[in-house]
Amino acid sequence: MLDGISRIPDLVNRTRELGMDAMSITDHGSLYGVVDFYSECKEAGIKPIIGCEFYVAHASRHDRTPNERTANHLVLIAKDNAGYRNLLQLVTLSHLEGFHYRPRIDKELLERHRQGLICLSGCPSAEVPTLLADGNYQDAKRQLGWYRELFGENYFLELQRHEHIEQLPRINDGLARLSRETGVPLLVTNDAHYVRQTDYQYQDVYICIQTGTNVMDEKRLRMEDSSYYIRSTAEMAALFHDFPQAVDITGEVAQECDVTLGFGQMHLPRYATPNNEDADAYLARICWEGFNQRYGHNNEAARTRMEYELEVVRQTSFANYFLVVWDIISFVRKQQILFGVRGSAAASVVLYCLGITDIDPMRYNLVFERFLNFERKEMPDIDMDFQDDRRDEVLRYVIDRYGSDRVAQIITFGTLGPKAALRDVGRGLGMNYGDVDRIARMVPFKSRTIADAMSANQEMSDTYVRDAAIRELVDHAQALEGIVHHVSTHAAGVLIADEPLTETVPLQRPSRGDESSPVMMTQYSMDPVAKLGLLKMDFLGLTNLTILDRTIKLLDEERGIRIDLGRLTLDDEATYELLGTGNTTDLFQLESAGMQRYIKELKPSDLGDIAAMIALYRPGPMEHIDRFIRSKHGKEQVTYPHPSMKELLDETYGVIVYQDQVLHVLQNFAGYSLGEADTVRKAMGKKIPELMAEERNRFVSGAVEKGYSEQMGAEIFNLIEPFAGYAFNKAHSVSYALISYWTAYFKTHYPLEYMASVLNCRLDHGDRYVASINECTRMGIGIELPDVNKSGIHYTIDTPADRTQIGKLRIGLAAIKTVGEGAITPIVTERVAKGPYASITDFCRRVDVSGLNRRTLEGLAKGRGASTPSGHGQRWSATWTASGPWHSRKRGTAIPGSSACLVRRWTAVPAEHCWKWTRRSLTTSPRKRLTWKRNTWGWPCPTTRCWRWPPSTRATRTTRSTSWTKG
């Protein structure tokens, strides 16, 4: 990702244009693009050759000496599947064991994992070429002998020809001599970092972006000429006209390589059933046990559905998958971690009876085939949400249960978007920031490419035409947008396999991960992992579930009220009244301004209304929201495309909202099975013209067979075609609507506890935190200032002595910026254990200062966290400022009987000198103190509240003076 700008589709297309039948990928130190490269090549009829250009440590991969900052290069190519598996091992170990500035292997690993690999001597930075460049021919020959002994006939000397590499002719002469003397064959390669020769200028700018330089810097890292592109066969033959045999050998080596990736295979983890019982039988047994609890014994419709679903699971061989998920959720329930299930999984009666979901598919008429069916070729997704403060517990359990070598997080690749491309390219070109910023700001928010932005913004297009510098900027940015810029860990993706993952995928440490972390990260992203048949699951941390969990616990602690979410009724009138007011700030999925307006107009009366609004509030379906609302309230007559659709569309007032409805239309009108209907729905979403024409004919024919006219069949198909592209998954909508309802319920009935939990979860969320503070004000909830003798670590509830009065929220000390939870915990713990702090002297004596520093204390003072001991809040602030780094004292230096407050010269000051004074110069104005509070609280506090002095410390102020006297 440092210097390559080749896009795989373009790379493959260019290779096909040039008439070549094989191509190799050898990225530096990684295999990131292998699966996509393999797929594209296969589709284009080109043989994919999989390799990697490794970094090789000078000595051991475990060495971290200065000499190891630079490493030799070496190209390894998989000759067969065994070689590919060894590539996976080597790349993984280079990241996990050998990473030092770069992922490195060593000769020990080469000896261990040489089978099935072809080794090339490498570029000028490789070991043998480097020795030749330095004039060490005999050493080069000796090292060649080591490689030849290790790889045998699979070792080749690699010739390259690029301009402006001073030592390259000398290296090539040495390689030719070595070949003559040792019999090791020569082959030829061209180092390609971009597709076409004209792309050279863009690659130069990209290197500048990655290295933080610009094209004006003569000393920057760059490739001196434009030869690093895909050369044609004729160009290569002409370039190496003096080595015709080497050119032929290159083709022969390509023909020897034959690697097949296992697409379509499944690598599901196996659940250890009791007494090795068959997985399908065990799954059925525990499902029927759950069925009796969920449905009882007399629900024949549910029983029939259960039998059908179990048969689908059996025939698709997903019993182990379901059992693994059941095992995870069983742990989650046991640990009392709040969770939810996203997507189509909530449509399964089997999952409902297993306790994996809490949504009854029969009650909400959810289509199982949207989740799993006989025609489905890919693995179904069971995506889970966990409260975000406990997601890591679930991940640790999975690692402990199934093995750290079989569980990993999934990588994701960050690419250059249009604005980022413009800004980065501007820096790389050394352009004026103002010019770059001006053009970047012209890109509309919804534009996904620079071309889209140019079409949408005429001013941007005009500027491009008339300004040559801007034209260069835009052209370069368009050439680089979409290029992979960095890697990161997928927010939710987790992989679980039945064997060590390095048998199937290469691994590395997570981005920003520590070396001791047991959780690895794949080098293949979501789609490639799915192609390889690995079980990928979504473990998403959801803040709203954390809010609900904290609210429930707070209610139990403060009021002794215990609430089980699963037992809450879904028909609470007060909750729906709140939703009808549109005051839905801090409610899951309902807090945006547009949603608040629509939910107020809708005035939902049941969970179905909430689910429908969640489904409709997206680009595309939004145009139907007004009709949906008017129809609900009888302001517009409900109409149906055909009378037979009345029952199907009745719950959504004649509007097609859900994918499930599209499936039923395909089934009822044209005789599709629900599994076939789901396949067609996916095809409609992709909008492939040929496929759509074929399905249109099939639908119309099916409609005619069902007794409808050909015209009616065509009209219905035209109606559902656009909806299939943007209609929403009903199971997902209902699942999220349930969480929305829960948040609304608590905000309605327990506003203090709910808003305290919201604020505690949003301390680090900037604008959202401020919005929640404002919502408290709108709701009439008072917020008391932080107080070292009253505040907890987080927001707490100040309950008045008179229970008839409304309580208030008290800002937690950890909410003060620069004051971390670790520093505050000992302060609060000491106060809870031994009572309030009587004075600053008392505070200094009692508090463990090991976690405190000047910044922390000043944050407490400025944020008014230290405001009340003995009523001397303002003077405490002044004392801390005057006393200097008292908190930095060495342990044990305090004089017995004195306070722990120390002055700058490490001298212990008796308590009376720390606190005894009658007049103090205070150089900060009330307005400055207001600024302090805004900065330390993270939100603009009400002016009158911030300027109000506590009665016990009220002072008189002399004219034109900052002196204060105790009054």
Side-chain angles (χ1 to χ4, degrees):
M1 285 181 287
L2 173 64
D3 53 12
I5 63 168
S6 301
R7 294 174 173 85
I8 288 175
D10 192 24
L11 194 67
V12 173
N13 288 336
R14 180 59 177 164
T15 302
R16 183 169 53 183
E17 288 173 7
L18 294 173
M20 292 185 280
D21 58 6
M23 180 170 54
S24 173
I25 181 172
T26 54
D27 285 343
H28 286 279
S30 72
L31 296 172
Y32 294 136
V34 161
V35 177
D36 291 333
F37 173 80
Y38 179 91
S39 300
E40 291 282 347
C41 284
K42 284 292 188 181
E43 189 173 336
I46 294 171
K47 173 181 281 191
I49 300 173
I50 298 171
C52 179
E53 186 168 359
F54 285 93
Y55 298 102
V56 184
H58 296 291
S60 168
R61 67 187 182 279
H62 300 294
D63 289 349
R64 302 290 190 270
T65 60
N67 184 48
E68 291 291 351
R69 291 191 63 172
T70 59
N72 294 319
H73 293 202
L74 188 70
V75 175
L76 297 176
I77 293 172
K79 186 176 182 178
D80 50 30
N81 284 357
Y84 172 68
R85 286 192 294 271
N86 275 321
L87 278 183
L88 298 178
Q89 297 288 342
L90 287 168
V91 168
T92 298
L93 291 170
S94 72
H95 281 266
L96 303 189
E97 296 182 2
F99 198 97
H100 181 59
Y101 294 95
R102 294 174 178 84
R104 302 169 305 150
I105 60 172
D106 57 15
K107 290 183 178 178
E108 179 196 344
L109 288 180
L110 285 174
E111 290 175 343
R112 196 192 308 170
H113 298 287
R114 68 181 182 275
Q115 184 181 355
L117 291 175
I118 293 173
C119 179
L120 310 186
S121 60
C123 67
S125 296
E127 184 176 18
V128 172
T130 298
L131 291 171
L132 292 173
D134 293 340
N136 298 324
Y137 180 80
Q138 292 304 319
D139 289 341
K141 189 173 183 179
R142 186 162 46 253
Q143 290 303 321
L144 180 149
W146 185 87
Y147 285 108
R148 182 61 183 271
E149 183 179 353
L150 186 67
F151 290 100
E153 295 180 354
N154 291 328
Y155 182 69
F156 297 87
L157 296 173
E158 180 180 358
L159 295 175
Q160 291 186 350
R161 279 182 173 157
H162 296 283
E163 300 175 17
H164 304 298
I165 299 179
E166 184 178 350
Q167 300 294 338
L168 192 53
R170 184 176 186 176
I171 291 171
N172 285 341
D173 290 343
L175 291 171
R177 180 183 170 188
L178 285 171
S179 178
R180 290 192 300 270
E181 294 181 3
T182 64
V184 176
L186 295 165
L187 54 69
V188 299
T189 67
N190 193 71
D191 202 2
H193 291 258
Y194 39 91
V195 177
R196 296 170 180 80
Q197 191 170 16
T198 53
D199 295 337
Y200 160 71
Q201 56 184 330
Y202 308 128
Q203 191 255 0
D204 187 31
V205 172
Y206 189 61
I207 294 179
C208 290
I209 293 171
Q210 295 292 66
T211 56
T213 58
N214 62 62
V215 294
M216 309 298 182
D217 183 358
E218 292 296 329
K219 297 181 179 180
R220 72 186 187 276
L221 174 66
R222 61 174 167 172
M223 294 173 176
E224 299 287 347
D225 69 283
S226 59
S227 62
Y228 297 87
Y229 65 99
I230 302 296
R231 292 183 186 269
S232 67
T233 304
E235 285 180 290
M236 290 298 289
L239 187 63
F240 293 97
H241 61 88
D242 48 343
F243 292 100
Q245 188 176 5
V247 175
D248 293 338
I249 288 176
T250 305
E252 292 172 7
V253 171
Q255 293 307 312
E256 289 180 12
C257 296
D258 185 18
V259 173
T260 303
L261 299 188
F263 291 173
Q265 300 177 8
M266 285 198 299
H267 301 274
L268 295 176
R270 292 182 178 85
Y271 179 79
T273 58
N275 302 317
N276 292 320
E277 185 177 355
D278 176 73
D280 287 298
Y282 183 66
L283 175 67
R285 180 158 61 83
I286 60 176
C287 278
W288 287 116
E289 289 173 2
F291 180 91
N292 293 332
Q293 295 175 7
R294 294 286 200 183
Y295 291 108
H297 299 277
N298 300 316
N299 193 324
E300 287 304 315
R303 181 175 295 276
T304 301
R305 171 79 167 260
M306 170 78 100
E307 291 170 349
Y308 165 70
E309 289 190 17
L310 285 172
E311 180 61 20
V312 174
V313 173
R314 186 187 67 78
Q315 291 195 31
T316 52
S317 303
F318 286 132
N320 274 296
Y321 178 18
F322 280 52
L323 288 171
V324 167
V325 177
W326 171 71
D327 173 52
I328 295 170
I329 295 302
S330 296
F331 165 80
V332 168
R333 286 189 183 275
K334 184 177 180 181
Q335 299 301 314
Q336 297 182 331
I337 300 172
L338 286 191
F339 74 97
V341 173
R342 277 176 292 120
S344 57
S348 169
V349 169
V350 165
L351 295 181
Y352 178 59
C353 292
L354 286 173
I356 292 172
T357 72
D358 285 317
I359 301 292
D360 182 358
M362 305 299 291
R363 176 179 179 181
Y364 295 101
N365 194 26
L366 304 180
V367 178
F368 172 71
E369 286 79 3
R370 175 62 185 82
F371 169 62
L372 181 64
N373 56 71
F374 292 119
E375 291 86 358
R376 186 183 178 110
K377 296 179 181 179
E378 65 273 11
M379 204 176 300
D381 293 324
I382 305 177
D383 298 331
M384 291 170 281
D385 297 327
F386 304 105
Q387 56 184 90
D388 61 353
D389 62 338
R390 300 186 69 184
R391 175 183 179 269
D392 287 348
E393 289 181 47
V394 183
L395 191 55
R396 282 196 299 272
Y397 171 77
V398 173
I399 292 170
D400 293 341
R401 183 81 163 85
Y402 297 96
S404 59
D405 60 335
R406 304 180 184 209
V407 178
Q409 296 186 90
I410 299 176
I411 200 170
T412 185
F413 299 103
T415 58
L416 283 176
K419 287 189 177 183
L422 288 166
R423 294 185 188 279
D424 284 354
V425 167
R427 284 191 292 270
L429 292 173
M431 293 181 63
N432 177 274
Y433 172 80
D435 293 338
V436 176
D437 184 63
R438 179 170 57 88
I439 199 73
R441 287 176 180 273
M442 292 182 186
V443 177
F445 177 73
K446 294 183 179 180
S447 294
R448 305 191 64 169
T449 66
I450 293 175
D452 290 344
M454 298 270 282
S455 300
N457 190 330
Q458 187 61 42
E459 181 185 3
M460 185 177 180
S461 181
D462 293 342
T463 305
Y464 172 84
V465 171
R466 68 171 180 266
D467 191 323
I470 297 299
R471 188 157 54 251
E472 181 185 20
L473 168 67
V474 172
D475 288 345
H476 278 71
Q478 280 188 294
L480 295 179
E481 70 174 336
I483 291 290
V484 173
H485 188 264
H486 65 278
V487 303
S488 58
T489 306
H490 193 282
V494 175
L495 207 61
I496 310 176
D498 61 338
E499 60 184 358
L501 282 168
T502 47
E503 296 294 318
T504 316
V505 296
L507 304 175
Q508 67 180 62
R509 297 201 182 281
S511 55
R512 302 185 184 90
D514 64 89
E515 292 192 3
S516 61
S517 172
V519 188
M520 297 300 106
M521 179 174 74
T522 66
Q523 289 192 10
Y524 298 158
S525 58
M526 277 285 199
D527 290 340
V529 157
K531 286 182 179 179
L532 293 171
L534 291 161
L535 173 58
K536 59 181 180 67
M537 303 177 71
D538 263 17
F539 288 7
L540 184 65
L542 196 61
T543 302
N544 297 84
L545 291 176
T546 304
I547 292 171
L548 289 169
D549 179 67
R550 291 187 177 185
T551 305
I552 292 168
K553 289 177 179 176
L554 197 56
L555 280 168
D556 190 12
E557 293 168 4
E558 294 287 329
R559 301 208 226 169
I561 298 174
R562 296 186 177 182
I563 291 181
D564 181 354
L565 290 177
R567 295 179 179 275
L568 283 183
T569 61
L570 302 179
D571 57 358
D572 183 70
E573 292 185 8
T575 299
Y576 289 111
E577 286 176 10
L578 170 70
L579 292 172
T581 66
N583 295 320
T584 56
T585 300
D586 297 315
L587 300 189
F588 182 59
Q589 294 282 301
L590 306 177
E591 52 190 327
S592 69
M595 179 62 91
Q596 289 187 40
R597 176 169 68 87
Y598 284 126
I599 208 78
K600 181 179 180 179
E601 294 176 3
L602 177 65
K603 300 192 183 306
S605 54
D606 57 31
L607 197 69
D609 285 347
I610 303 173
M613 187 55 67
I614 290 173
L616 287 168
Y617 192 72
R618 294 176 304 110
M622 287 184 73
E623 63 185 70
H624 301 286
I625 291 179
D626 289 332
R627 176 189 164 194
F628 182 89
I629 293 173
R630 289 195 302 269
S631 298
K632 172 181 170 60
H633 296 297
K635 297 179 180 179
E636 179 176 322
Q637 184 177 356
V638 178
T639 58
Y640 305 96
H642 190 274
S644 63
M645 289 189 181
K646 183 179 186 307
E647 182 179 353
L648 178 61
L649 300 181
D650 199 43
E651 66 170 324
T652 53
Y653 310 106
V655 179
I656 297 178
V657 175
Y658 301 117
Q659 294 168 354
D660 307 55
Q661 293 171 319
V662 174
L663 302 190
H664 281 299
V665 170
L666 288 165
Q667 181 188 49
N668 296 344
F669 264 81
Y672 287 77
S673 71
L674 288 174
E676 292 172 331
D678 189 55
T679 303
V680 174
R681 176 196 61 79
K682 294 176 185 176
M684 288 178 171
K686 294 177 180 177
K687 296 180 171 59
I688 302 173
E690 299 80 7
L691 192 57
M692 292 310 302
E694 180 182 334
E695 289 300 336
R696 177 188 296 274
N697 293 335
R698 181 184 173 187
F699 182 89
V700 171
S701 298
V704 170
E705 290 180 10
K706 285 270 191 175
Y708 301 102
S709 69
E710 185 173 329
Q711 180 182 355
M712 175 59 68
E715 289 177 359
I716 296 299
F717 188 87
N718 291 337
L719 172 70
I720 66 173
E721 184 178 353
F723 280 97
Y726 57 64
F728 209 59
N729 183 343
K730 185 178 182 182
H732 182 84
S733 291
V734 174
S735 298
Y736 269 14
L738 182 60
I739 300 177
S740 300
Y741 176 86
W742 287 339
T743 58
Y745 178 88
F746 282 109
K747 186 177 181 181
T748 301
H749 295 283
Y750 308 105
L752 275 175
E753 290 80 4
Y754 181 74
M755 293 308 298
S757 301
V758 168
L759 292 169
N760 284 328
C761 288
R762 292 190 174 162
L763 292 177
D764 299 321
H765 289 77
D767 291 344
R768 298 192 73 183
Y769 176 57
V770 174
S772 297
I773 291 285
N774 292 335
E775 179 66 3
C776 287
T777 302
R778 187 202 63 77
M779 295 169 68
I781 297 175
I783 298 181
E784 293 293 332
L785 303 181
D787 186 323
V788 77
N789 273 338
K790 295 180 181 178
S791 293
I793 297 171
H794 303 294
Y795 273 81
T796 53
I797 297 173
D798 273 7
T799 305
D802 183 356
R803 293 285 179 170
T804 61
Q805 296 182 359
I806 299 174
K808 298 179 180 180
L809 298 183
R810 170 76 64 176
I811 300 176
L813 297 180
I816 300 173
K817 293 185 181 297
T818 76
V819 179
E821 187 171 331
I824 288 304
T825 300
I827 297 175
V828 176
T829 302
E830 170 68 19
R831 186 196 75 208
V832 171
K834 299 181 181 179
Y837 300 106
S839 65
I840 187 172
T841 307
D842 186 41
F843 179 88
C844 293
R845 283 199 185 103
R846 291 166 54 186
V847 171
D848 177 7
V849 299
S850 59
L852 304 178
N853 56 36
R854 184 185 186 92
R855 190 163 176 258
T856 301
L857 295 173
E858 288 185 350
L860 278 171
K862 292 176 178 179
R864 203 176 176 270
S867 65
T868 60
S870 297
H872 298 293
Q874 304 306 320
R875 297 197 186 91
W876 197 359
S877 174
T879 301
W880 275 347
T881 304
S883 296
W886 64 272
H887 53 281
S888 299
R889 65 185 174 87
K890 296 178 181 177
R891 285 181 176 274
T893 58
I895 299 173
S898 71
S899 84
C901 181
L902 304 181
V903 296
R904 285 186 174 83
R905 295 189 178 181
W906 300 79
T907 305
V909 180
E912 60 271 18
H913 292 287
C914 255
W915 191 245
K916 185 179 179 181
W917 51 278
T918 56
R919 183 179 174 85
R920 186 84 175 164
S921 175
L922 192 62
T923 59
T924 54
S925 66
R927 185 168 296 278
K928 187 170 184 179
R929 286 192 292 278
L930 172 62
T931 302
W932 281 355
K933 293 178 175 62
R934 285 178 174 171
N935 292 338
T936 54
W937 294 347
W939 51 279
C941 52
T943 303
T944 54
R945 187 174 184 77
C946 291
W947 284 3
R948 189 178 65 205
W949 303 107
S952 59
T953 59
R954 204 173 296 277
T956 58
R957 186 176 181 184
T958 58
T959 307
R960 299 178 182 275
S961 170
T962 55
S963 298
W964 289 74
T965 306
K966 186 175 180 181

